[in-house]
Amino acid sequence: MEYVIEMLDIRKEFGGFVANDDITLQLRPQEIHALLGENGAGKSTLMSVLFGLYSPDGGEIRVRGEKVNITNPNLANELGIGMVHQHFKLIHNFTVTENIILGMEKTKKGQIDLKSAAQEIAALSEKYNLNVDPNAKIEDISVGMQQRVEILKMLYRHAEILIFDEPTAVLTPQEIEELMQIMKRLVAEGKSIILITHKLAEIKEVADRCTVIRRGKYIDTVNVGEVNENELAALMVGREVSFVVDKGPATPGADVLKIEHLTVKDSRGLKVVNDLKLSVREGEILGIAGIDGNGQEELVEAIAGLRKIESGKIELLGTDLTKMPIRKRTQTGIGHIPADRHKHGLVLDFLLSENMVLQNYYEAPYSKTGILNQKAITDYSERLTAEFDVRSAHGIKSSARSMSGGNQQKAIIAREVDRSPKFLIASQPTRGLDVGAIEFIHSKLIEERDKNRAVLLISFELDEVLNVSDRIAVICEGKIVAVLDADKTNEKELGYLMAGGKYEGGMTHE
Amino acid sequence: MNKKLANFNWRKILIPIFSIISAFIIGAIIIAASGKNPLDAFSALFSGIFGNTYYIGEWLFRSVPIILTGLAVAFAFRTGLFNIGAPGQLAMGGLTAVVIGIFVQLPWFFHMPLMIIGGGLAGFLWGLIPGILKARYRVHEVVVSIMLNYTALYFVNYAILKFIPNPTNPAQSAAMQPSATLNVPGITELVAAIFPNSRLNFGFLIAIAACIIFAFIINKTSFGYELRAVGLNPSAAEYAGMKVNRNIALSMAIAGAFAGIAGAIYMTSLGKIDVEQGLTGYYLLGFDGIAVALLGNSTGVGVFLSALLLGGLKAGAASMQAFAQVPAEIVEIMSSLILLFVASGYFFERILDKRAIKKLHKIRQQKVEVSE
Ligand SMILES: Nc1ncnc2c1ncn2[C@@H]1O[C@H](COP(=O)(O)OP(=O)(O)O)[C@@H](O)[C@H]1O
Ligand SMILES: [Mg+2]
């Protein structure tokens, strides 16, 4: 048998919309096989078919040469197929061990045998260098660690074929590097891996072969060693992609947002934004560079009104925002593309059209005297989805949950940008998106800037901060430690500043 | 077959239907085990529901309060809250209506609306208490509502004895004014002609109107949009500038108003409040609302249909007992089973899966040679 998994001519339709159009993917034993495609290309759908979440409308699946009919995830588990989903499925107030054994608890005298399970998990963790504490609670460990718990969950179930759905989208660069090592280790120990990712560099680093799909169609399977990143990008998008952000010089004007002496506490009560000072001018993109957890998130929440301000002042066009309710801020001119699109950006169980009016459902023409105007909502959503190329299976009547991440993000951006806010917050706007979508979103941000609006960009990707911003503010331990012109600095200098270098004030922890 | 999507709407309907059928099957087994013929029992049950126009009228009459308590639970569900306080809200609404019915003198066309509105308002306020405690202090609405249920039920008993005693019967309240009825000239005669002798009255139309209002608020208004957003994702609702806490409090209060109206109609139909019937009676009506809301998937139409189903079972139970000598309690068992099955709908899927798992197990064992 040459292949552990063969998906042959797989077809999957969602009520007439073809998400997978006769796609073939063959996985060799002990290979890392990348599955590459734009957001909404149908990658998650294809893997859901393999994992038994969807039953295919055509084609066949062979596992170890044998034709199988995987109608639900339990069968997939039985066949040794495990999956780390794009969004983790963990119970937050359970421990690592409890989460892992959930559904297959071993009992001793009628009681769950947590102790031996924990030992087994510790042993697995050791074997694959995962460094996971079996007794830690999920809510206390980082996202990267949670992902490892998901990996352990598969290993504990003796999975041989591991599917990773965009595993690096939620990780920091350091964690990504470690994950790559873990995957290599897994393969060395006999596992076979399907890796979904948009990040071409990652494919180059770990994958042996790569299958490319585009808009539901199979394009090609290539040996990764024989192609470069540009060729991969072109295969994926169907045209040449420019990796350089194309923008003219900024013509900044007066201050739009002014922050002075801002102090904000995080959920644990620690001062994570500490006496921060910052201003953003019209007609510029100000990027914030910083290592995750240095107060970026809380800063954004304080500006948007989602978090209480301890002291200090935020002014938008001369109006004091400090005590203003959220709705009022929105009306004063803030657009907010939130970092967590599932938590804040969308009501996942609403239709796309309902999500499109999330910020203005109460105003004419979308409501009149408290009654929703369906026609106005429909027309507006149709226009926005067309303008921003938001793709979904059933148009504006798709539930937001069924849409791919990139299209969810485009929908949020359409909603926030179309209101023409004078000040736009873009928090991790391209996290988890493919190069085509990233290019599109960057061009939208620059378009806003060129309409003389102020844009605040927060991103953990230094590349993005450097390429898109006009000025860069470096945040470290809740303070802005430097503000630099984007074209006069580089990754090295930023990295140094982000880590607290050069800054000579007291770097004491609160 | 295209499973997830094609089944999406199907599942919502299939699970209740499946549950109802299963409940009947198990009910039949229990009846058979007790030595009676299930077919006789069910035929007595059904003829007790729509055997003649009197039965039909009684069936609809009995469904009225559970339609309304169903709405009371469903409304809160849509906002992500669990309104287990319908019994208390119903009791307070009923008491208020009876007090208005006893002490206020008005022509019927003012008196009846006043009692209904008064009952709704009392339920509204009684629901507002857990609503505010939840919104302000994050106290769980279930805990508060359960305590308020007892408070309301004992308060009602106390109030009957203390303020509106019946001189001839200590277990009942005083009688209401003749104008305090749900008789509407024209409609009452019409109902009497179609459903002779049954107690069906104008309350049924109020319940239908309540279902329509429910669906309208939830689906067509910007307020309903907010309520749904808060229920489905409070963080996103907050992000969009909605007043999450205000919506939580209001949602419990409006839910309470539906239950309060249920109480007003129920007591007004009976013409008085009964101390003895108190506790268990209100509890059953309130908790049936939970079953109805679950079974009806918290939609206006769904609640209406499920309430008719449950109301039917209750209405037919007496006939079953009388004509087939099968205890009426079997109906309670069956309605509980329906609820249990709906709540654990996925259980059915699991059973189907088990067999397939075994078959695939051996493929798993096969070795793959590494070819390189
Ligand atoms: N359950 C579903 N119902 C309807 N449409 C869906 C569903 N799941 C995915 N889709 C649609 O199928 C397409 C492919 O989605 P997906 O497989 O998630 O893409 P990706 O390649 O980004 O993982 C998208 O346009 C998405 O909107
Ligand atoms: Mg995906």
Side-chain angles (χ1 to χ4, degrees), chain A residues 78 158 336 354 361 372, chain B residues 220 225-226 239 353 361 364:
Chain A
E78 287 305 315
H158 308 290
H336 179 191
E354 291 175 307
Y361 65 93
L372 296 173
Chain B
K220 301 278 183 215
Y225 175 98
E226 280 193 15
Y239 155 88
D353 293 349
H361 205 90
R364 169 75 200 264

Side-chain angles (χ1 to χ4, degrees), chain B:
Chain B
M1 253 282 296
N2 172 344
K3 192 167 142 200
K4 270 277 145 43
L5 198 85
N7 285 3
F8 185 65
N9 285 319
W10 271 110
R11 287 263 298 277
K12 280 189 183 160
I13 303 173
L14 273 181
I15 288 182
I17 290 179
F18 225 58
S19 307
I20 292 166
I21 295 174
S22 314
F24 268 90
I25 294 173
I26 297 181
I29 294 172
I30 298 175
I31 294 169
S34 66
K36 300 282 184 330
N37 182 345
L39 286 180
D40 290 347
F42 288 151
S43 90
L45 177 75
F46 285 120
S47 65
I49 302 174
F50 25 67
N52 61 36
T53 50
Y54 164 75
Y55 284 137
I56 295 180
E58 280 295 296
W59 163 35
L60 300 182
F61 170 73
R62 280 170 164 270
S63 306
V64 170
I66 27 185
I67 293 175
L68 287 160
T69 51
L71 295 178
V73 179
F75 198 84
F77 269 155
R78 294 302 282 267
T79 325
L81 298 166
F82 187 19
N83 179 18
I84 202 167
Q89 295 147 7
L90 178 141
M92 294 308 277
L95 176 68
T96 307
V98 169
V99 167
I100 295 174
I102 293 173
F103 292 113
V104 181
Q105 290 195 347
L106 279 173
W108 69 264
F109 51 88
F110 285 131
H111 211 167
M112 180 181 75
L114 190 67
M115 287 193 297
I116 302 294
I117 292 170
L121 201 63
F124 183 94
L125 294 174
W126 208 248
L128 193 59
I129 301 171
I132 287 179
L133 289 175
K134 166 85 174 199
R136 270 275 160 77
Y137 304 108
R138 300 285 146 213
V139 185
H140 204 287
E141 71 275 11
V142 166
V143 177
V144 178
S145 299
I146 288 177
M147 293 194 290
L148 282 178
N149 280 344
Y150 286 105
T151 313
L153 298 172
Y154 287 112
F155 176 72
V156 167
N157 284 356
Y158 170 77
I160 294 172
L161 300 174
K162 185 84 183 168
F163 305 118
I164 45 174
N166 185 327
T168 57
N169 183 349
Q172 287 187 352
S173 72
M176 293 197 258
Q177 309 276 349
S179 60
T181 68
L182 288 163
N183 290 336
V184 176
I187 293 182
T188 304
E189 285 78 31
L190 190 68
V191 170
I194 306 177
F195 308 104
N197 299 324
S198 83
R199 290 174 291 170
L200 185 62
N201 59 31
F202 189 66
F204 189 66
L205 292 182
I206 298 179
I208 290 179
C211 290
I212 295 171
I213 291 172
F214 175 98
F216 182 79
I217 294 180
I218 292 286
N219 298 318
K220 301 278 183 215
T221 67
S222 56
F223 175 54
Y225 175 98
E226 280 193 15
L227 290 177
R228 283 184 290 134
V230 169
L232 293 168
N233 185 350
S235 304
E238 187 192 2
Y239 155 88
M242 298 176 192
K243 298 208 163 58
V244 174
N245 284 337
R246 195 197 62 165
N247 281 320
I248 286 175
L250 259 183
S251 164
M252 275 306 273
I254 294 175
F258 281 113
I261 293 174
I265 294 179
Y266 183 65
M267 309 299 182
T268 312
S269 303
L270 301 179
K272 59 193 186 268
I273 307 187
D274 219 307
V275 176
E276 281 170 0
Q277 168 213 40
L279 279 178
T280 41
Y282 310 150
Y283 257 102
L284 281 180
L285 291 176
F287 288 169
D288 283 344
I290 298 173
V292 163
L294 274 177
L295 192 59
N297 209 6
S298 295
T299 65
V301 185
V303 164
F304 183 74
L305 294 177
S306 337
L308 285 185
L309 173 74
L310 247 66
L313 290 178
K314 281 173 194 303
S319 301
M320 189 170 71
Q321 181 150 6
F323 300 116
Q325 283 79 46
V326 173
E329 281 73 20
I330 195 82
V331 160
E332 295 296 336
I333 296 179
M334 280 164 54
S335 30
S336 314
L337 284 173
I338 293 176
L339 182 60
L340 186 71
F341 290 148
V342 169
S344 52
Y346 75 97
F347 172 78
F348 291 107
E349 290 180 320
R350 282 281 283 274
I351 296 177
L352 299 174
D353 293 349
K354 276 273 157 59
R355 287 190 16 233
I357 286 184
K358 283 208 180 111
K359 219 173 81 192
L360 286 182
H361 205 90
K362 53 181 212 289
I363 298 180
R364 169 75 200 264
Q365 315 297 340
Q366 288 166 8
K367 275 271 164 298
V368 180
E369 317 97 56
V370 180
S371 57
E372 207 71 41

Side-chain angles (χ1 to χ4, degrees), chain A residues 39-40 43-45 86 165-166 196 404-405:
Chain A
N39 295 115
K43 306 177 298 293
S44 295
T45 304
Q86 218 161 341
D165 194 351
E166 294 189 31
I196 302 184
S404 67

Side-chain angles (χ1 to χ4, degrees), chain A residues 11 14 25 74 138 173 182 249 260 341 345 366 374 400 407 418 442 444 496 498:
Chain A
R11 185 173 189 82
F14 292 114
L25 185 150
N74 294 336
I138 298 296
I182 292 170
E260 267 160 15
R341 52 182 170 257
Y366 315 110
Q374 279 310 335
N407 284 299
D418 192 74
H442 287 169
K444 282 288 167 192
Y496 185 57
M498 282 158 59

